[in-house]
């Protein structure tokens, strides 16, 4: 028995200062941030209960960190999920201010 492939997408909602992950078009979670004078402080990551356990926080956080890198923005990792991701993926440590 095979599980139906899911369409996962991450977008940056600048107006709400968050990155949003959707699964098959349904919002599944977000990583929010506060803007500093020269950095982005990731302060909260949420995956909705019905989507937990599917490994969605990793692509969400990766997308958000890649966006910061491409934009030349330093980051603070006040959110434990973001801090944990960076600890497991040291290639993002240079982004920390």
């Amino acid at each position: 028995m095979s599980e139906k492939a899911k369409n996962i997408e991450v977008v940056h909602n600048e107006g709400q200062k968050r990155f949003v992950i959707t699964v098959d078009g349904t919002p599944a979670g977000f990583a929010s941030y506060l803007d500093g004078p020269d950095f982005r402080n990731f302060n909260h990551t949420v995956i909705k209960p019905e989507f937990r356990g599917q490994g969605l926080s990793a692509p969400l956080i990766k997308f958000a960190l890649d966006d910061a890198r491409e934009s030349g923005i330093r980051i603070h990792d006040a959110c434990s999920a973001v801090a944990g991701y960076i600890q497991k993926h040291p290639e993002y440590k240079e982004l920390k201010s």
Side-chain angles (χ1 to χ4, degrees), residues 9-14 16-22 28-34 40-48 56-65 67 76 79-83 85:
E9 183 180 21
V10 181
V11 296
H12 185 187
N13 184 327
E14 292 182 54
Q16 291 187 339
K17 296 185 189 234
R18 62 176 47 181
F19 291 85
V20 179
I21 190 164
T22 59
F30 63 88
S32 63
Y33 62 89
L34 302 170
R40 196 175 277 164
N41 182 11
F42 288 97
N43 62 345
H44 197 52
T45 301
V46 173
I47 300 296
K48 292 181 179 180
L56 296 177
S57 63
L60 172 61
I61 293 168
K62 180 183 185 321
F63 186 95
L65 294 176
D67 181 81
H76 286 181
C79 170
S80 61
V82 174
Y85 185 89

Side-chain angles (χ1 to χ4, degrees), residues 62-73:
K62 180 183 185 321
F63 186 95
L65 294 176
D66 286 344
D67 181 81
R69 177 181 279 149
E70 290 170 14
S71 301
I73 298 171

